[in-house]
Amino acid sequence: MEDYLNQLNENQRQAVVYTDGPQLVIAGAGSGKTRVLTYKIAYLLHKGWPPQSILALTFTNKAAREMKERIAAITETSIARRLWMGTFHALFSRILRSEADRIGFPAHFTIYDSADSKSLLRSIIKEMQLDDKVYHAGTVQNRISKAKNALVTWSAYEKNRELVESDMHSRMPLIRDIYKRYQKRCLQAGAMDFDDLLLHTYLLFCDHPDVLDKYRGFFQYILVDEYQDTNFAQHMIIQQLAGSHRHICVVGDDAQSIYSFRGANIDNMLKFKEVYPECSIFKLERNYRSTQNIVNAANSLIYKNEEQIPKTIYSEKEPGGKVRLFATYSDYEEAHLVVSKIQEMQREHKPYTFASFTVLYRTNAQSRILEEAFRKQNIPYKIYGGLSFYQRKEIKDILSYLRLIINPHDEEALKRVINYPARGIGDTTVKKLITAAVENNVSLWTVLGALQEFAVPVNKGTENKLAVFRELMTTLIVQETGLSAYEITMLTVEKSGISGDIFQNRTVEGISKQENLQELLKGISEFCDMRREEGVEKVTLADFLSEVSLLTDQDNEKDENTNKVTLMTVHAAKGLEFKNVFVVGLEEDLFPSIMSKDSPRAIEEERRLFYVAITRAEENCILTYAKSRFRNGQNNYCSPSRFLKDIAIEFLDRGGTKQAVNLFSSTTSTTSTPVAVDPDPSGLKVGVKVQHDRFGVGVVTAIEGNGGDTRAIVQFVHSGEKRLLLKFARLTIVKRPSD
């Protein structure tokens, strides 16, 4: 025990050994939060707490898996396995499956992902004959999600005057009816979406006190990671479970609360002491990740926020270089500046690989111009947060078959596979089935088994095709009970015709689908092997689907050893670290977002987002902004982000460009002379320094042609060589040779 406790600094050690009551651990960026959580659980086990009595909640399966592995290394693998450790959704789904009969769901209920949920909402909007341009499925989905995260059921929603009036103001007064239909259809389909996993857990504990008492007695110590990211529903469920014993430890950093758009509520952390007045607060303030200058720059930024828990983060690493700021003439030049700086830093620091660099931006749309710049210089890169493996069409098709085997009432799965591979069952027929199901308040599967009873108007040929499909699924459902997850998947791929469909396509896209199919089968096989090694004799299809349905964004990212620059949004970067970080697009209405400008609280979250970006850097942090950016179909002139003024000048190197030095003047000083559009090139000579709104600053290296075809060859500092036709080129002379 003392061996690993000695690996902690004094503040970490105090947080680990405290077990006398509610506990709030403020873990600054890079302060060893995971180590503290891991060692605290190991400490509890050492002190005699049974592993099954410890509930540890995380936001990604990856985080839970890493902590379990560390705990197993300190204690024993068999002990670590018995811990209740995982994501909120994964652990609460386990409880819901055990208590499903109490809430009217089958134990093998389906978990709808965002795409399934949106598909069902589109169907409902269409059935209600609403304008899908007004009732956009994504907008409706977001409103329903917010309601669920606030623990507002459909029945409470339609009675909530504020919500109803808000919908009317948005010209969507029937959202309450859509919500009601959506929930009833999910119940008919034996399905829950991600938000339901929280809502139904809360309602289960409210409506069945005996169930709550059971789990309160079961979970004697509760630990929560990333508490600043919890929403109201998560916060309330934790209160329910900790209500009697109050053995609760929450860990997080209010300065990194950046997910309000997902329902996260920073007040859960800021007001924790109001809920638990007797709680003890521990602060982890030493940053082990970043140099002193980076930490100090980040501190000076976040100090400007009013809503925060006071703390002083410090680093004992070397001072390091200052945070560098570069201004560029355009987003185009900004992208090429990033590329040139990466090349320059690699020349100066030979150990820097491409993988040691990341470029962070506020919106996904900013990646395109960066990708172009990287491709032009043959620099390998990867976009973090791309399409998940399990969201690829061919994979979703197979998983839908598997979902239907476990739960034949799953409406979205049935709609997806009833005519794949093509078996002559068209959209018109599917609509008739849906109509019959809706009118009779039953599932599509029920209608499929009694077409005549439900008076589905189809001809004999179509009836036979539907019968063949139902017989196929019935056969697979019967055989599933005697087979492992891998075996039933192999059988399904063969019997459904998917294998034949995929393997007859020899195009590049077809081969890619074949590889993905093989990768899925490999993944299921490995899942079965792993579970068997853990002592599970028969690994069922339900086990695998439950695991897959609860994967988070970060879990979908494979650990690649490839040497590539990483491009990602700042939101996606939280929890990660890189030697060298570029933060681009630091302009008003972009970062901070234009959506936040009228809300002081939203501006504070944007500042926290910038804080997260800076604190990803270990050795170098480089900030950039552009004077103009192409947005919404046109070039827009930009002002530097207000957040740049928040960084204390002693930690910021603004010497990169004249614009950065003059960052806070109302106008950028210039003595340039405009070049006339006249094709006479007499105003330009070789050696003249020029400025271009898009390419930045450069030097004329040659003049070619005459009259209207006169061109200037310009070597731009960051954008490379360009051949510009003078009658169209928007050049400005910055400095003549005689100046």
Side-chain angles (χ1 to χ4, degrees):
M1 173 58 62
E2 288 300 319
D3 285 346
Y4 69 80
L5 289 182
N6 288 336
Q7 297 173 29
L8 303 171
N9 65 38
E10 185 55 31
N11 287 4
Q12 291 173 332
R13 184 186 176 100
Q14 288 178 11
V16 165
V17 301
Y18 180 83
T19 58
D20 293 337
Q23 176 181 15
L24 173 62
V25 180
I26 311 298
S31 63
K33 168 181 66 70
T34 303
R35 171 175 284 195
V36 167
L37 264 175
T38 302
Y39 286 12
K40 186 170 188 70
I41 293 170
Y43 182 80
L44 291 171
L45 294 170
H46 179 77
K47 288 296 182 180
W49 293 82
Q52 64 272 16
S53 73
I54 298 173
L55 174 66
L57 295 160
T58 67
F59 275 86
T60 67
N61 293 304
K62 181 179 178 182
R65 188 165 55 248
E66 288 176 354
M67 282 199 283
K68 264 190 179 179
E69 288 171 355
R70 292 192 195 187
I71 292 166
I74 298 171
T75 57
E76 296 176 16
T77 303
S78 59
I79 293 176
R81 281 182 189 154
R82 289 159 58 202
L83 292 165
W84 273 71
M85 179 180 286
T87 65
F88 286 86
H89 296 91
L91 296 187
F92 293 163
S93 71
R94 282 177 64 183
I95 292 174
L96 289 172
R97 291 191 191 283
S98 296
E99 311 294 338
D101 60 315
R102 298 291 194 108
I103 55 175
F105 277 83
H108 290 321
F109 60 80
T110 299
I111 299 174
Y112 279 173
D113 64 16
S114 179
D116 296 321
S117 169
K118 200 175 289 186
S119 174
L120 178 55
L121 285 169
R122 284 195 195 99
S123 295
I124 292 170
I125 290 165
K126 196 169 184 178
E127 291 158 20
M128 293 175 67
Q129 299 182 332
L130 300 174
D131 185 348
D132 59 7
K133 292 183 176 61
V134 176
Y135 289 89
H136 189 271
T139 304
V140 176
Q141 182 185 46
N142 186 50
R143 294 211 174 193
I144 292 174
S145 175
K146 282 186 175 179
K148 290 181 180 180
N149 287 331
L151 300 176
V152 178
T153 63
W154 68 262
S155 57
Y157 193 103
E158 61 183 9
K159 296 172 187 172
N160 188 302
R161 183 176 175 181
E162 185 179 340
L163 290 172
V164 171
E165 287 182 354
S166 174
D167 290 343
M168 292 181 70
H169 182 72
S170 302
R171 297 192 307 123
M172 294 187 290
L174 296 179
I175 283 184
R176 55 184 174 180
D177 295 329
I178 298 173
Y179 185 7
K180 179 178 180 179
R181 286 198 186 202
Y182 175 79
Q183 289 303 99
K184 289 191 172 182
R185 291 280 277 279
C186 284
L187 184 61
Q188 284 174 7
M192 295 187 198
D193 62 27
F194 265 59
D195 299 316
D196 284 328
L197 296 176
L198 303 179
L199 177 62
H200 284 306
T201 300
Y202 176 78
L203 294 175
L204 171 70
F205 290 157
C206 284
D207 298 341
H208 302 279
D210 59 316
V211 176
L212 176 58
D213 287 342
K214 169 184 168 182
Y215 286 99
R216 273 181 175 172
F218 199 53
F219 302 129
Q220 288 297 301
Y221 214 109
I222 301 170
L223 303 100
V224 187
D225 190 14
E226 304 284 13
Y227 197 68
Q228 78 282 345
D229 293 337
T230 54
N231 60 33
F232 181 68
Q234 291 162 329
H235 174 71
M236 291 304 297
I237 295 169
I238 292 163
Q239 270 191 249
Q240 286 176 315
L241 289 171
S244 52
H245 56 68
R246 298 173 84 79
H247 286 130
I248 178 171
C249 170
V250 302
V251 182
D253 182 7
D254 57 292
Q256 296 186 66
S257 179
I258 60 172
Y259 293 124
S260 65
F261 67 96
R262 293 181 183 170
N265 188 350
I266 191 174
D267 288 339
N268 293 346
M269 193 153 198
L270 297 179
K271 298 179 179 180
F272 186 80
K273 197 166 180 63
E274 293 179 19
V275 179
Y276 301 94
E278 75 276 29
C279 88
S280 295
I281 298 177
F282 299 80
K283 296 180 182 179
L284 310 181
E285 297 175 302
R286 180 178 174 184
N287 182 307
Y288 289 88
R289 175 188 301 150
S290 308
T291 61
Q292 291 180 29
N293 272 317
I294 291 174
V295 169
N296 292 336
N299 282 346
S300 67
L301 167 76
I302 205 64
Y303 282 159
K304 303 300 189 297
N305 270 13
E306 293 184 8
E307 287 192 315
Q308 62 174 299
I309 299 171
K311 52 190 165 299
T312 303
I313 308 301
Y314 67 94
S315 170
E316 293 186 0
K317 295 182 75 173
E318 67 280 0
K322 293 182 178 182
V323 172
R324 286 185 283 168
L325 173 64
F326 291 91
T328 61
Y329 291 94
S330 67
D331 50 353
Y332 181 92
E333 193 198 12
E334 179 185 54
H336 285 80
L337 169 92
V338 170
V339 169
S340 67
K341 288 299 169 188
I342 288 175
Q343 293 170 326
E344 177 186 306
M345 291 168 73
Q346 285 188 314
R347 287 193 298 271
E348 294 174 358
H349 304 273
K350 296 296 184 184
Y352 285 161
T353 61
F354 287 125
S356 67
F357 293 91
T358 191
V359 185
L360 305 180
Y361 35 79
R362 180 65 182 82
T363 65
N364 278 306
Q366 291 170 258
S367 73
R368 182 196 60 79
I369 202 164
L370 289 160
E371 290 185 68
E372 287 181 5
F374 279 107
R375 283 199 295 266
K376 284 179 181 177
Q377 294 298 319
N378 293 317
I379 292 179
Y381 69 90
K382 64 176 179 178
I383 303 288
Y384 186 98
L387 185 67
S388 156
F389 175 80
Y390 290 104
Q391 291 298 320
R392 293 185 172 104
K393 180 189 178 302
E394 60 275 15
I395 302 303
K396 283 213 73 170
D397 289 337
I398 298 168
L399 292 180
S400 293
Y401 267 104
L402 302 182
R403 280 167 43 180
L404 208 55
I405 292 170
I406 295 302
N407 173 18
H409 299 286
D410 184 336
E411 178 176 333
E412 290 306 306
L414 192 149
K415 287 193 300 187
R416 188 177 185 98
V417 303
I418 194 169
N419 196 41
Y420 176 76
R423 48 177 63 93
I425 302 172
D427 289 344
T428 302
T429 300
V430 174
K431 287 175 185 174
K432 291 175 180 178
L433 295 173
I434 292 173
T435 299
V438 171
E439 289 177 351
N440 293 280
N441 290 316
V442 296
S443 70
L444 289 180
W445 180 254
T446 301
V447 171
L448 204 57
L451 295 172
Q452 294 181 0
E453 179 184 335
F454 291 106
V456 181
V458 293
N459 59 37
K460 194 64 178 176
T462 300
E463 190 175 327
N464 289 337
K465 292 170 185 174
L466 293 172
V468 169
F469 172 71
R470 198 177 197 281
E471 185 180 347
L472 164 68
M473 294 311 307
T474 302
T475 301
L476 292 172
I477 290 167
V478 170
Q479 291 187 291
E480 187 271 335
T481 55
L483 301 175
S484 70
Y486 178 75
E487 291 167 337
I488 189 62
T489 303
M490 288 288 289
L491 186 65
T492 300
V493 168
E494 178 192 349
K495 295 292 185 185
S496 66
I498 290 178
S499 180
D501 181 68
I502 288 179
F503 279 92
Q504 72 180 2
N505 186 343
R506 299 306 299 170
T507 64
V508 173
E509 182 183 359
I511 292 171
S512 175
K513 289 184 176 183
Q514 294 162 24
E515 291 171 347
N516 289 337
L517 169 57
Q518 295 299 334
E519 185 65 24
L520 174 65
L521 293 171
K522 176 187 173 188
I524 297 175
S525 176
E526 289 175 349
F527 176 82
C528 291
D529 289 344
M530 182 179 69
R531 286 297 173 92
R532 277 193 286 267
E533 288 173 5
E534 293 175 353
V536 179
E537 289 186 15
K538 185 194 172 190
V539 186
T540 67
L541 189 55
D543 295 332
F544 174 73
L545 290 176
S546 180
E547 177 97 355
V548 169
S549 65
L550 293 163
L551 290 175
T552 64
D553 293 344
Q554 288 194 17
D555 298 316
N556 291 328
E557 295 293 337
K558 293 185 178 181
D559 294 325
E560 295 185 25
N561 296 320
T562 49
N563 186 22
K564 296 179 181 179
V565 177
T566 303
L567 311 181
M568 69 175 89
T569 64
V570 184
H571 281 103
K574 186 169 169 293
L576 304 176
E577 56 187 41
F578 296 86
K579 280 190 170 62
N580 309 294
V581 171
F582 289 81
V583 189
V584 302
L586 286 160
E587 299 131 31
E588 283 295 300
D589 295 341
L590 181 57
F591 203 167
S593 165
I594 192 171
M595 303 295 289
S596 66
K597 64 190 308 179
D598 296 326
S599 166
R601 185 160 187 157
I603 286 292
E604 292 214 343
E605 176 155 335
E606 290 285 305
R607 188 178 285 110
R608 292 195 295 269
L609 188 61
F610 187 26
Y611 174 83
V612 166
I614 293 174
T615 54
R616 300 310 93 200
E618 298 174 8
E619 297 178 10
N620 293 289
C621 183
I622 299 169
L623 315 177
T624 67
Y625 71 93
K627 287 173 59 182
S628 69
R629 185 171 296 276
F630 192 84
R631 299 180 73 188
N632 303 319
Q634 62 183 10
N635 255 329
N636 296 280
Y637 288 98
C638 310
S639 302
S641 170
R642 70 188 73 185
F643 297 150
L644 295 173
K645 293 183 183 180
D646 292 339
I647 301 175
I649 189 66
E650 60 264 34
F651 308 121
L652 189 64
D653 177 0
R654 296 185 294 165
T657 61
K658 188 173 185 178
Q659 282 70 30
V661 174
N662 297 327
L663 176 62
F664 308 122
S665 61
S666 58
T667 59
T668 301
S669 174
T670 176
T671 57
S672 56
T673 304
V675 172
V677 178
D678 187 339
D680 177 9
S682 59
L684 285 181
K685 294 182 175 63
V686 173
V688 167
K689 189 175 183 181
V690 294
Q691 170 189 321
H692 186 277
D693 286 345
R694 189 163 183 237
F695 303 132
V697 173
V699 175
V700 177
T701 59
I703 303 287
E704 294 179 345
N706 53 67
D709 292 327
T710 305
R711 298 173 186 270
I713 290 82
V714 184
Q715 182 66 44
F716 290 98
V717 176
H718 300 301
S719 304
E721 185 179 273
K722 304 292 177 186
R723 305 168 71 86
L724 305 174
L725 195 63
L726 282 187
K727 66 180 179 181
F728 296 126
R730 296 183 299 276
L731 290 174
T732 304
I733 296 176
V734 176
K735 183 178 181 183
R736 300 178 185 276
S738 58
D739 288 348

